[in-house]
Amino acid sequence: MRTFLRASPLRYYYHLIKGRVAGAPQSDESVILSRLVGDSPKTFLEFGFHPTEYNCIGLRDFQGLVVDGDAQTVRLAKALLPNRIEARQSFINLDNIKSLGSHFPKLGVLSVDVDGNDYWFLKALLPVRPAVIVAEYNASFGLNPITVPYDPSFDRKAKHESGWYHGASITALTSLCRTHGYKLVAVSAAGGNAFFLPQDSAVADLDPVTAYRESSLRNQWSNTTAKDQWERIKHMPFVDAP
């Protein structure tokens, strides 16, 4: 039933009404971003979004490009989002993501939350040198420094029935960002999103081991813990992050 409703026109009109009343991130991402953006370029690029719940929703004076592979999500975004934000449908891969990454001459905020190749897409986009990075980490992986192997047609539901096998751990993302001159500076209250700034930023860096939080939303929906989730997927193939 839930799958049917998500694919039905009822979902479209529900979110259309919801978006016109109010929209928000899923946790405190907007609060964190408002603290971190400072005098960064007023542009953002967000991969993986919903027009009533996305990380950069609070950046009201920024120009933005939001990208998602779902046609209904993009259709809804075009009906809801202001003209300063372009919504584009694209199933991204390593062949097209670099052209999307150069959409703005200077990028203020990069947000990556695609429930799949997040690590590999972030790695490809780091040379763009965004001022602020928001990247979803998979709390089900715990502190294991791992990511899923790259697959251009990645579908987390097809990979594992739980939907918990995707993306990368917080330790893997922190290691990747560190090698490109960024440091971990914040984690969302609900767990799941990590924030990075350039190493020369005055904001203090965090240790991913102590900053890690389980995903409260995933735990609540599934009535499990991150440890339970890991037990279900630990047999799947992984790539160790350097």
Side-chain angles (χ1 to χ4, degrees):
M1 176 62 71
R2 185 176 180 181
T3 301
F4 167 76
L5 289 174
R6 284 179 60 84
S8 75
L10 292 175
R11 175 175 175 261
Y12 174 85
Y13 290 109
Y14 165 76
H15 284 294
L16 187 64
I17 295 168
K18 178 183 176 183
R20 286 177 175 165
V21 173
Q26 293 189 63
S27 181
D28 58 343
E29 290 86 359
S30 285
V31 175
I32 296 172
L33 277 178
S34 66
R35 175 168 56 88
L36 297 180
V37 291
D39 58 356
S40 71
K42 292 187 179 300
T43 57
F44 71 82
L45 176 58
E46 184 151 348
F47 292 98
F49 76 100
H50 190 280
T52 63
E53 295 176 349
Y54 61 100
N55 290 333
C56 296
I57 199 168
L59 302 178
R60 302 191 184 280
D61 56 345
F62 279 52
Q63 299 291 314
L65 172 64
V66 291
V67 183
D68 197 272
D70 181 72
Q72 192 175 61
T73 294
V74 174
R75 175 185 170 216
L76 182 62
K78 290 181 176 179
L80 286 176
L81 298 181
N83 291 335
R84 61 185 175 80
I85 302 176
E86 177 187 350
R88 189 179 302 181
Q89 182 187 0
S90 177
F91 193 87
I92 58 175
N93 54 51
L94 290 179
D95 294 326
N96 64 17
I97 197 167
K98 289 185 179 179
S99 63
L100 292 167
S102 61
H103 183 78
F104 295 109
K106 292 184 178 181
L107 184 57
V109 178
L110 169 65
S111 176
V112 180
D113 178 359
V114 297
D115 292 338
N117 295 307
D118 303 64
Y119 180 94
W120 307 106
F121 293 157
L122 179 58
K123 184 177 181 179
L125 290 168
L126 280 166
V128 174
R129 305 303 300 171
V132 184
I133 296 169
V134 190
E136 183 191 46
Y137 67 89
N138 189 339
S140 303
F141 293 175
L143 295 173
N144 300 297
I146 53 175
T147 180
V148 298
Y150 175 70
D151 180 348
S153 58
F154 196 100
D155 179 340
R156 68 181 178 129
K157 291 296 186 181
K159 292 287 186 181
H160 192 273
E161 69 276 5
S162 68
W164 299 333
Y165 175 74
H166 61 86
S169 68
I170 189 172
T171 46
L173 292 174
T174 301
S175 177
L176 172 65
C177 288
R178 186 183 298 120
T179 62
H180 286 78
Y182 289 87
K183 60 185 178 182
L184 177 69
V185 296
V187 172
S188 58
N193 280 300
F195 298 76
F196 301 88
L197 289 177
Q199 286 286 359
D200 60 2
S201 165
V203 180
D205 62 327
L206 300 177
D207 180 347
V209 174
T210 55
Y212 166 83
R213 293 187 177 101
E214 295 192 25
S215 171
S216 60
L217 295 174
R218 176 168 290 180
N219 289 6
Q220 180 181 355
W221 293 337
S222 64
N223 195 29
T224 63
T225 66
K227 183 179 179 181
D228 300 326
Q229 295 152 23
W230 174 245
E231 288 298 315
R232 286 273 306 277
I233 58 176
K234 65 182 183 181
H235 65 283
M236 298 292 288
F238 292 98
V239 175
D240 293 329

mmCIF file of all heavy atoms in Angstrom, residues 10 14 21-22 42 48 86 138 141 145 157 163 171 173-174 185 188 196 217-218 222 230-231 237 239 241:
data_model
loop_
_atom_site.group_PDB
_atom_site.id
_atom_site.type_symbol
_atom_site.label_atom_id
_atom_site.label_comp_id
_atom_site.label_asym_id
_atom_site.label_seq_id
_atom_site.Cartn_x
_atom_site.Cartn_y
_atom_site.Cartn_z
ATOM 1 N N LEU A 10 -2.049 10.937 -5.725
ATOM 2 C CA LEU A 10 -2.372 11.454 -4.397
ATOM 3 C C LEU A 10 -1.127 11.990 -3.701
ATOM 4 O O LEU A 10 -1.187 13.005 -3.001
ATOM 5 C CB LEU A 10 -3.000 10.340 -3.547
ATOM 6 C CG LEU A 10 -4.387 9.850 -3.982
ATOM 7 C CD1 LEU A 10 -4.815 8.670 -3.116
ATOM 8 C CD2 LEU A 10 -5.403 10.977 -3.898
ATOM 9 N N TYR A 14 -0.690 15.758 -2.278
ATOM 10 C CA TYR A 14 -0.407 15.896 -0.852
ATOM 11 C C TYR A 14 0.804 16.786 -0.634
ATOM 12 O O TYR A 14 0.778 17.723 0.170
ATOM 13 C CB TYR A 14 -0.178 14.516 -0.229
ATOM 14 C CG TYR A 14 0.476 14.577 1.137
ATOM 15 C CD1 TYR A 14 -0.238 14.953 2.269
ATOM 16 C CD2 TYR A 14 1.836 14.272 1.285
ATOM 17 C CE1 TYR A 14 0.365 15.004 3.511
ATOM 18 C CE2 TYR A 14 2.448 14.331 2.522
ATOM 19 C CZ TYR A 14 1.701 14.693 3.631
ATOM 20 O OH TYR A 14 2.313 14.772 4.864
ATOM 21 N N VAL A 21 2.237 25.176 2.168
ATOM 22 C CA VAL A 21 2.033 25.582 3.562
ATOM 23 C C VAL A 21 3.379 25.838 4.235
ATOM 24 O O VAL A 21 3.629 26.875 4.817
ATOM 25 C CB VAL A 21 1.240 24.511 4.328
ATOM 26 C CG1 VAL A 21 1.170 24.858 5.815
ATOM 27 C CG2 VAL A 21 -0.152 24.377 3.739
ATOM 28 N N ALA A 22 4.266 24.849 4.122
ATOM 29 C CA ALA A 22 5.592 24.972 4.737
ATOM 30 C C ALA A 22 6.449 23.805 4.311
ATOM 31 O O ALA A 22 5.956 22.709 4.085
ATOM 32 C CB ALA A 22 5.476 24.985 6.265
ATOM 33 N N LYS A 42 26.713 32.565 -2.956
ATOM 34 C CA LYS A 42 25.303 32.285 -2.680
ATOM 35 C C LYS A 42 24.716 31.377 -3.762
ATOM 36 O O LYS A 42 23.774 31.729 -4.474
ATOM 37 C CB LYS A 42 24.535 33.592 -2.546
ATOM 38 C CG LYS A 42 24.934 34.391 -1.310
ATOM 39 C CD LYS A 42 24.055 35.598 -1.106
ATOM 40 C CE LYS A 42 24.438 36.376 0.137
ATOM 41 N NZ LYS A 42 24.340 35.582 1.368
ATOM 42 N N GLY A 48 19.752 14.617 -5.032
ATOM 43 C CA GLY A 48 18.857 13.828 -4.209
ATOM 44 C C GLY A 48 18.088 14.752 -3.283
ATOM 45 O O GLY A 48 18.658 15.324 -2.356
ATOM 46 N N GLU A 86 16.543 25.938 -9.885
ATOM 47 C CA GLU A 86 16.228 25.100 -11.038
ATOM 48 C C GLU A 86 16.164 23.642 -10.599
ATOM 49 O O GLU A 86 17.047 23.164 -9.891
ATOM 50 C CB GLU A 86 17.299 25.254 -12.117
ATOM 51 C CG GLU A 86 17.066 24.343 -13.326
ATOM 52 C CD GLU A 86 18.201 24.365 -14.329
ATOM 53 O OE1 GLU A 86 19.099 25.230 -14.204
ATOM 54 O OE2 GLU A 86 18.209 23.502 -15.240
ATOM 55 N N ASN A 138 25.775 6.714 5.879
ATOM 56 C CA ASN A 138 24.896 5.598 6.197
ATOM 57 C C ASN A 138 25.198 5.137 7.612
ATOM 58 O O ASN A 138 26.203 4.468 7.859
ATOM 59 C CB ASN A 138 25.093 4.455 5.197
ATOM 60 C CG ASN A 138 24.054 3.366 5.366
ATOM 61 O OD1 ASN A 138 23.436 3.247 6.421
ATOM 62 N ND2 ASN A 138 23.859 2.559 4.332
ATOM 63 N N PHE A 141 26.131 1.506 8.699
ATOM 64 C CA PHE A 141 27.487 0.973 8.557
ATOM 65 C C PHE A 141 28.319 1.185 9.817
ATOM 66 O O PHE A 141 29.477 0.759 9.869
ATOM 67 C CB PHE A 141 28.209 1.634 7.378
ATOM 68 C CG PHE A 141 27.647 1.301 6.019
ATOM 69 C CD1 PHE A 141 28.148 1.924 4.883
ATOM 70 C CD2 PHE A 141 26.624 0.385 5.855
ATOM 71 C CE1 PHE A 141 27.653 1.632 3.623
ATOM 72 C CE2 PHE A 141 26.116 0.088 4.599
ATOM 73 C CZ PHE A 141 26.629 0.710 3.478
ATOM 74 N N PRO A 145 35.037 1.970 8.060
ATOM 75 C CA PRO A 145 35.419 2.933 7.011
ATOM 76 C C PRO A 145 35.180 2.361 5.613
ATOM 77 O O PRO A 145 36.119 2.024 4.897
ATOM 78 C CB PRO A 145 36.901 3.167 7.285
ATOM 79 C CG PRO A 145 37.379 1.879 7.887
ATOM 80 C CD PRO A 145 36.219 1.333 8.687
ATOM 81 N N LYS A 157 16.941 -0.528 -3.217
ATOM 82 C CA LYS A 157 15.904 -1.538 -2.991
ATOM 83 C C LYS A 157 16.202 -2.818 -3.768
ATOM 84 O O LYS A 157 15.879 -3.915 -3.320
ATOM 85 C CB LYS A 157 14.542 -0.987 -3.392
ATOM 86 C CG LYS A 157 14.025 0.108 -2.474
ATOM 87 C CD LYS A 157 13.783 -0.414 -1.066
ATOM 88 C CE LYS A 157 13.130 0.636 -0.185
ATOM 89 N NZ LYS A 157 12.920 0.147 1.195
ATOM 90 N N GLY A 163 16.833 -2.009 2.081
ATOM 91 C CA GLY A 163 17.095 -0.634 1.679
ATOM 92 C C GLY A 163 18.205 0.023 2.466
ATOM 93 O O GLY A 163 18.479 1.216 2.305
ATOM 94 N N THR A 171 32.985 7.624 8.740
ATOM 95 C CA THR A 171 34.449 7.568 8.766
ATOM 96 C C THR A 171 35.017 7.547 7.345
ATOM 97 O O THR A 171 36.046 8.169 7.078
ATOM 98 C CB THR A 171 34.931 6.331 9.545
ATOM 99 O OG1 THR A 171 34.183 5.180 9.125
ATOM 100 C CG2 THR A 171 34.745 6.515 11.036
ATOM 101 N N LEU A 173 33.580 8.929 4.642
ATOM 102 C CA LEU A 173 33.391 10.260 4.061
ATOM 103 C C LEU A 173 34.377 11.263 4.662
ATOM 104 O O LEU A 173 34.914 12.126 3.952
ATOM 105 C CB LEU A 173 31.962 10.736 4.281
ATOM 106 C CG LEU A 173 30.881 9.965 3.518
ATOM 107 C CD1 LEU A 173 29.495 10.437 3.947
ATOM 108 C CD2 LEU A 173 31.055 10.130 2.004
ATOM 109 N N THR A 174 34.624 11.143 5.966
ATOM 110 C CA THR A 174 35.576 12.059 6.609
ATOM 111 C C THR A 174 36.977 11.850 6.058
ATOM 112 O O THR A 174 37.708 12.817 5.808
ATOM 113 C CB THR A 174 35.553 11.859 8.135
ATOM 114 O OG1 THR A 174 34.235 12.094 8.622
ATOM 115 C CG2 THR A 174 36.523 12.816 8.818
ATOM 116 N N VAL A 185 32.829 19.124 10.607
ATOM 117 C CA VAL A 185 32.558 20.176 11.590
ATOM 118 C C VAL A 185 31.198 20.047 12.255
ATOM 119 O O VAL A 185 30.940 20.711 13.264
ATOM 120 C CB VAL A 185 32.682 21.584 10.962
ATOM 121 C CG1 VAL A 185 34.112 21.852 10.507
ATOM 122 C CG2 VAL A 185 31.702 21.759 9.796
ATOM 123 N N SER A 188 24.124 16.242 11.804
ATOM 124 C CA SER A 188 22.731 16.578 12.091
ATOM 125 C C SER A 188 22.234 15.837 13.328
ATOM 126 O O SER A 188 22.683 14.736 13.641
ATOM 127 C CB SER A 188 21.840 16.264 10.888
ATOM 128 O OG SER A 188 21.928 14.899 10.536
ATOM 129 N N PHE A 196 31.066 19.478 6.228
ATOM 130 C CA PHE A 196 32.506 19.648 6.091
ATOM 131 C C PHE A 196 32.826 21.071 5.625
ATOM 132 O O PHE A 196 32.110 21.649 4.797
ATOM 133 C CB PHE A 196 33.068 18.647 5.081
ATOM 134 C CG PHE A 196 32.812 17.210 5.435
ATOM 135 C CD1 PHE A 196 31.648 16.571 5.027
ATOM 136 C CD2 PHE A 196 33.723 16.485 6.201
ATOM 137 C CE1 PHE A 196 31.397 15.252 5.360
ATOM 138 C CE2 PHE A 196 33.487 15.163 6.544
ATOM 139 C CZ PHE A 196 32.314 14.541 6.118
ATOM 140 N N LEU A 217 15.602 8.466 12.575
ATOM 141 C CA LEU A 217 14.450 8.215 11.703
ATOM 142 C C LEU A 217 14.423 6.757 11.254
ATOM 143 O O LEU A 217 13.381 6.101 11.306
ATOM 144 C CB LEU A 217 14.496 9.148 10.498
ATOM 145 C CG LEU A 217 14.348 10.638 10.798
ATOM 146 C CD1 LEU A 217 14.557 11.456 9.534
ATOM 147 C CD2 LEU A 217 12.983 10.929 11.403
ATOM 148 N N ARG A 218 15.568 6.241 10.808
ATOM 149 C CA ARG A 218 15.624 4.850 10.365
ATOM 150 C C ARG A 218 15.336 3.903 11.527
ATOM 151 O O ARG A 218 14.603 2.918 11.373
ATOM 152 C CB ARG A 218 16.980 4.536 9.741
ATOM 153 C CG ARG A 218 17.164 3.084 9.330
ATOM 154 C CD ARG A 218 18.397 2.887 8.472
ATOM 155 N NE ARG A 218 18.220 3.496 7.153
ATOM 156 C CZ ARG A 218 19.142 3.468 6.190
ATOM 157 N NH1 ARG A 218 20.293 2.850 6.393
ATOM 158 N NH2 ARG A 218 18.914 4.040 5.028
ATOM 159 N N SER A 222 12.005 1.432 11.464
ATOM 160 C CA SER A 222 12.247 -0.008 11.365
ATOM 161 C C SER A 222 12.205 -0.728 12.702
ATOM 162 O O SER A 222 12.256 -1.958 12.748
ATOM 163 C CB SER A 222 13.610 -0.256 10.711
ATOM 164 O OG SER A 222 14.661 0.252 11.532
ATOM 165 N N TRP A 230 23.279 -3.421 10.646
ATOM 166 C CA TRP A 230 24.563 -3.918 10.143
ATOM 167 C C TRP A 230 24.566 -5.446 10.053
ATOM 168 O O TRP A 230 25.095 -6.015 9.093
ATOM 169 C CB TRP A 230 25.693 -3.426 11.033
ATOM 170 C CG TRP A 230 27.037 -3.992 10.674
ATOM 171 C CD1 TRP A 230 27.817 -4.820 11.435
ATOM 172 C CD2 TRP A 230 27.757 -3.795 9.455
ATOM 173 N NE1 TRP A 230 28.975 -5.133 10.766
ATOM 174 C CE2 TRP A 230 28.966 -4.520 9.549
ATOM 175 C CE3 TRP A 230 27.500 -3.066 8.292
ATOM 176 C CZ2 TRP A 230 29.915 -4.548 8.531
ATOM 177 C CZ3 TRP A 230 28.436 -3.087 7.268
ATOM 178 C CH2 TRP A 230 29.623 -3.823 7.382
ATOM 179 N N GLU A 231 23.980 -6.088 11.011
ATOM 180 C CA GLU A 231 23.926 -7.554 10.988
ATOM 181 C C GLU A 231 23.195 -8.061 9.744
ATOM 182 O O GLU A 231 23.528 -9.120 9.211
ATOM 183 C CB GLU A 231 23.254 -8.088 12.255
ATOM 184 C CG GLU A 231 24.097 -7.966 13.514
ATOM 185 C CD GLU A 231 25.395 -8.762 13.425
ATOM 186 O OE1 GLU A 231 25.348 -9.927 12.985
ATOM 187 O OE2 GLU A 231 26.454 -8.212 13.779
ATOM 188 N N PRO A 237 28.909 -6.830 -0.502
ATOM 189 C CA PRO A 237 30.238 -6.351 -0.909
ATOM 190 C C PRO A 237 30.475 -4.895 -0.516
ATOM 191 O O PRO A 237 29.578 -4.069 -0.630
ATOM 192 C CB PRO A 237 30.216 -6.511 -2.434
ATOM 193 C CG PRO A 237 28.772 -6.542 -2.819
ATOM 194 C CD PRO A 237 28.052 -7.149 -1.670
ATOM 195 N N VAL A 239 33.727 -1.636 -0.256
ATOM 196 C CA VAL A 239 35.052 -1.137 -0.616
ATOM 197 C C VAL A 239 35.586 -0.383 0.588
ATOM 198 O O VAL A 239 34.889 0.473 1.149
ATOM 199 C CB VAL A 239 34.990 -0.203 -1.838
ATOM 200 C CG1 VAL A 239 36.375 0.409 -2.115
ATOM 201 C CG2 VAL A 239 34.478 -0.952 -3.073
ATOM 202 N N ALA A 241 37.519 2.434 2.439
ATOM 203 C CA ALA A 241 37.928 3.798 2.123
ATOM 204 C C ALA A 241 39.386 3.992 2.553
ATOM 205 O O ALA A 241 39.763 3.570 3.653
ATOM 206 C CB ALA A 241 37.046 4.806 2.833
#
